[in-house]
C-alpha cells in the first residue's frame, strides 16, 4: 500500500476525534466527529443564533445552506452544480424521488427493487403505493435477478447501490442503461456510496438519487439527507411533498403551490440550521481528498481484513464479495453468535455493528483507518473467538440499536 497518492491520509486522520483505545470500524453507520464541527457548531449557536437571532436567515446565509451544501456533495457523486439539495431524512427523500419518478411513467405500475435494499426504502414504496391508490406493485427480486427483471412493465427501478448488509455493489452504469433502454426511470440510494467510493451520476445518466450524510460524510447523528434530480427532469419533476420551502417564492405566501426552480422544489420545510452547520464543517475534509485514492486504499484495507480474518478466525464466514471491485467500503462476516461477538468486540474497543440475523459488519474509511487498525482489530477478534470471550450473559442482551 505504498503507491503514489494525492491524498495525505495522516492529515485527514488528524481532523477526526477518535477516542483513545478505540478502533472505529463503523463509519459506514455513523461517521466520527470531525474536530472542525465542534468550533463551527459553537459559533453557529453563539454568533449566529445567539447574536443574529432571526436576522441569521439572511445575514448568516441559513436559507441558502441546503443548496450550497448540495453543491459540495454534488462534487462527490458526479453531479453537476445546482442538481443536489440537502434536507429532511433519507426516508423522506426516497419518498419524494420515487413519487417524482412514478409520475414520469403514469401508464406503468411496477416499482422494481431488490431484497438487498434497505427496509425503509421498501416501506416508503409501500406507503406511497397505498397513498396513490392506483394499483402500483412493488416487485422485490434477488440482487442478481434485477437485470433480468427490468422490462417494459416497470415504471421505476429503485435500488441501493451498496447493499447495507453485505457491501455488494450494483453496477450503476449497466443497470441504468438497461433501465433506460426499457423506458424505466431510475432512483439510486447512495447511503453507502457517497464518500465511500467514486460515483458518477451524470456519467451513468441516473434520473434521481438520494443519500444520507451521517455515514461516510460524517455529518453527525440524524444529519440531513440529500436528493439529486437529473437536470433534464429538474424543471418538470413533481416533488410530492410540496412544502413552502420548495415553492417558487416562499415569502410571497401564495395560497397555492408553484414548484421552485430546479432541484429547489425538493425542499420541504424549514432547514435544520445547526445540523447543516455541522455538515458544512464536516464536508471540508473532502476538499483535500482524492476519491480515487479513497477507493484504492479502502479496497486494500478491506482485502487485508478479509485475508487476516480468514487466516485467524476460520469459524467466521465471509458474507461480502471477495472481489474488491464488487464491494463498497465495508466487509461483513456471518456467525450464528454474531450479536454477542460484536458486543465483546465493542467492549474491547473494536467498534463495528451487527445486522440481523447473523451479520458482523465492519466499515473501512481511509480518512482515519489504516493497516495498523485493521491488524489490531483482527488480533482482538481472534482473542474473542479463540477464548470464547463473547459467551457472557451481558453480550447476549439485545440493546434497542444494534
Ligand atoms: C440504504 C439506506 N437507505 C435509507 C436509510 C434510512 O435513512 P433515514 O433513517 O435517514 O431516513 C438507511 C439508514 O441507514 C440506509 O442505509
Amino acid at each position: 500500500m505504498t503507491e503514489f497518492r494525492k491524498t495525505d491520509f495522516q492529515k485527514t486522520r488528524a481532523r477526526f476525534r477518535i477516542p483513545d483505545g478505540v478502533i472505529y470500524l463503523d463509519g459506514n453507520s455513523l461517521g466520527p466527529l470531525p474536530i472542525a464541527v465542534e468550533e463551527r457548531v459553537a459559533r453557529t449557536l453563539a454568533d449566529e443564533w445567539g447574536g443574529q437571532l432571526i436576522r441569521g436567515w439572511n445575514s448568516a446565509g441559513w436559507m441558502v445552506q441546503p443548496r450550497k451544501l448540495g453543491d459540495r456533495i454534488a462534487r462527490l457523486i458526479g453531479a453537476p452544480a445546482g442538481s443536489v439539495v440537502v434536507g429532511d431524512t433519507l426516508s423522506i427523500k426516497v419518498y419524494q424521488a420515487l413519487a417524482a419518478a412514478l409520475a414520469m411513467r403514469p401508464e406503468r405500475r411496477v416499482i422494481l427493487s431488490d431484497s438487498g435494499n434497505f427496509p425503509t426504502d421498501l416501506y416508503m414504496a409501500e406507503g406511497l403505493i397505498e397513498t396513490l391508490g392506483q394499483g402500483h406493485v412493488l416487485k422485490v427480486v434477488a440482487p442478481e435477478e434485477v437485470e433480468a427483471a427490468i422490462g417494459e412493465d416497470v415504471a421505476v427501478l429503485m435500488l441501493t447501490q451498496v447493499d447495507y448488509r453485505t457491501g455488494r455493489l450494483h453496477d450503476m452504469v449497466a443497470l441504468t442503461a438497461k433501465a433506460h433502454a426499457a423506458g424505466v426511470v431510475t432512483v439510486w440510494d447512495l447511503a453507502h456510496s457517497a464518500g465511500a467510493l467514486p460515483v458518477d451520476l451524470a456519467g451513468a445518466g441516473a434520473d434521481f438519487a438520494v443519500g444520507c450524510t451521517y455515514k461516510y460524510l460524517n455529518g453527525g447523528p440524524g444529519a440531513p439527507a440529500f436528493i439529486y434530480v437529473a437536470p433534464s427532469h429538474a424543471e418538470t419533476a413533481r416533488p410530492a411533498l410540496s412544502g413552502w420551502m420548495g415553492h417558487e417564492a416562499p415569502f410571497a405566501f401564495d395560497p397555492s403551490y408553484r414548484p421552485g426552480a430546479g432541484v429547489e422544489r425538493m425542499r420541504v420545510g424549514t432547514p435544520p440550521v445547526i445540523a447543516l452547520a455541522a455538515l458544512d464543517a464536516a464536508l471540508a475534509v473532502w476538499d483535500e481528498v482524492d476519491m480515487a485514492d479513497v477507493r484504492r486504499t479502502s479496497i486494500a484495507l478491506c482485502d487485508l481484513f478479509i485475508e487476516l480474518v480468514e487466516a485467524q478466525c476460520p469459524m467466521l464466514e465471509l458474507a461480502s464479495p471477495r472481489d474488491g471491485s464488487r464491494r463498497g467500503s465495508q466487509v461483513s462476516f456471518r456467525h450464528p453468535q454474531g450479536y454477542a461477538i460484536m458486543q465483546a468486540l465493542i467492549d474491547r474497543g473494536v467498534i463495528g455493528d451487527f445486522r440481523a440475523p447473523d451479520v458482523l459488519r465492519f466499515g473501512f474509511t481511509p480518512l482515519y483507518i489504516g493497516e495498523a487498525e485493521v491488524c489490531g482489530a483482527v488480533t482482538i477478534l481472534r482473542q474473542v473467538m479463540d477464548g470464547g470471550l463473547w459467551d457472557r450473559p451481558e453480550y447476549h442482551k439485545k440493546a434497542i440499536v444494534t
Side-chain angles (χ1 to χ4, degrees), residues 242-321:
S242 39
W244 73 306
M245 287 291 158
H247 192 278
E248 189 184 25
F251 287 87
F253 297 105
D254 194 327
S256 54
Y257 181 78
R258 277 178 284 125
V263 77
E264 285 276 341
R265 69 188 54 200
M266 292 297 179
R267 291 176 64 166
V268 181
T270 303
V273 170
I274 298 164
L276 289 172
L279 178 59
D280 192 29
L283 289 173
V285 72
W286 296 100
D287 294 343
E288 57 198 60
V289 168
D290 182 90
M291 200 45 94
D293 289 339
V294 170
R295 179 64 170 154
R296 232 185 347 260
T297 311
S298 133
I299 289 178
L301 292 172
C302 291
D303 283 349
L304 176 64
F305 184 72
I306 291 172
E307 183 192 322
L308 294 177
V309 172
E310 290 193 323
Q312 299 182 36
C313 309
M315 64 295 279
L316 298 179
E317 181 201 342
L318 182 65
S320 299

Side-chain angles (χ1 to χ4, degrees), residues 148-383:
I150 296 171
E152 295 192 356
D153 57 326
V154 177
V156 177
L157 174 64
M158 178 185 72
L159 294 173
T160 293
Q161 189 190 17
V162 176
D163 187 309
Y164 73 104
R165 272 205 206 96
T166 65
R168 178 211 28 76
L169 176 67
H170 271 308
D171 185 340
M172 181 189 289
V173 172
L175 289 174
T176 302
K178 174 104 198 259
H180 286 174
V184 177
V185 184
T186 55
V187 175
W188 287 97
D189 184 335
L190 305 179
H192 301 268
S193 311
L197 58 137
V199 176
D200 185 6
L201 287 176
D207 298 293
F208 296 88
V210 292
C212 65
T213 62
Y214 44 73
K215 300 181 191 292
Y216 297 92
L217 300 182
N218 311 305
F226 64 85
I227 183 165
Y228 162 81
V229 182
S232 53
H233 307 320
E235 296 301 337
T236 48
R238 290 164 51 182
L241 301 173
S242 39
W244 73 306
M245 287 291 158
H247 192 278
E248 189 184 25
F251 287 87
F253 297 105
D254 194 327
S256 54
Y257 181 78
R258 277 178 284 125
V263 77
E264 285 276 341
R265 69 188 54 200
M266 292 297 179
R267 291 176 64 166
V268 181
T270 303
V273 170
I274 298 164
L276 289 172
L279 178 59
D280 192 29
L283 289 173
V285 72
W286 296 100
D287 294 343
E288 57 198 60
V289 168
D290 182 90
M291 200 45 94
D293 289 339
V294 170
R295 179 64 170 154
R296 232 185 347 260
T297 311
S298 133
I299 289 178
L301 292 172
C302 291
D303 283 349
L304 176 64
F305 184 72
I306 291 172
E307 183 192 322
L308 294 177
V309 172
E310 290 193 323
Q312 299 182 36
C313 309
M315 64 295 279
L316 298 179
E317 181 201 342
L318 182 65
S320 299
R322 195 172 291 282
D323 174 356
S325 68
R326 294 175 179 273
R327 244 184 1 236
S329 197
Q330 64 172 73
V331 173
S332 300
F333 282 91
R334 291 186 199 283
H335 190 283
Q337 296 298 335
Y339 182 78
I341 294 165
M342 185 53 77
Q343 303 323 300
L345 284 175
I346 292 171
D347 214 15
R348 288 159 181 79
V350 177
I351 302 183
D353 59 22
F354 169 78
R355 286 294 172 264
D358 58 359
V359 171
L360 294 135
R361 199 171 69 151
F362 304 91
F364 295 88
T365 308
L367 264 51
Y368 50 85
I369 292 292
E371 278 185 32
E373 283 80 11
V374 171
C375 297
V378 178
T379 299
I380 294 173
L381 179 59
R382 190 189 64 222
Q383 289 164 1

Side-chain angles (χ1 to χ4, degrees), residues 119-139:
T120 205
D121 296 40
L122 304 176
Y123 303 162
M124 293 313 278
E126 286 177 17
L128 177 61
I129 287 171
E130 215 173 294
T131 303
L132 291 174
Q134 293 171 4
H136 288 95
V137 290
L138 174 62
K139 183 171 173 183

